Amino acid sequence: FNSNGLLLDKRRAEALVQSGLDEFRVSLSSSTPEGYRRIHGRPGLERVIGNLRGLAAVKERRRLFFPAS
C-alpha cells in the first residue's frame, strides 16, 4: 500500500495495523520542510513525520512488526 502519509492519523494507523497489511510505503516528495512547501504549496512534512511516528508507536504498543514501513 502506498501513501503520502498526510492523512495517516491515529485512527487510520490503528486500522492499518489491525488489517494485517504486510507493507505500508510512504512517498516523500522532499526531505526538508521548505522543499515540501515549495512542491505542495503548503506545509506538511512535519505532519507526515509525526504521523509515521504515530504508526510506529501503535506497532510498538502492540508488539507487532507489520505493516513494515
Side-chain angles (χ1 to χ4, degrees):
F1 185 75
N2 292 322
S3 172
N4 66 8
L6 195 61
L7 299 178
L8 181 62
D9 58 15
K10 184 178 178 179
R11 181 183 59 81
R12 288 184 176 103
E14 292 278 356
L16 280 174
V17 171
Q18 287 180 351
S19 75
L21 190 67
D22 290 335
E23 185 175 272
F24 180 71
R25 295 179 186 213
V26 174
S27 298
L28 295 176
S29 52
S30 177
S31 61
T32 66
E34 297 79 18
Y36 189 98
R37 189 178 305 108
R38 187 174 56 250
I39 292 166
H40 295 280
R42 61 184 171 145
L45 183 61
E46 296 91 347
R47 181 175 170 186
V48 172
I49 292 169
N51 290 346
L52 291 173
R53 287 185 175 138
L55 174 62
V58 170
K59 289 168 46 176
E60 184 176 327
R61 188 173 62 248
R62 293 175 177 248
R63 297 177 193 217
L64 296 173
F65 297 104
F66 294 98
S69 52

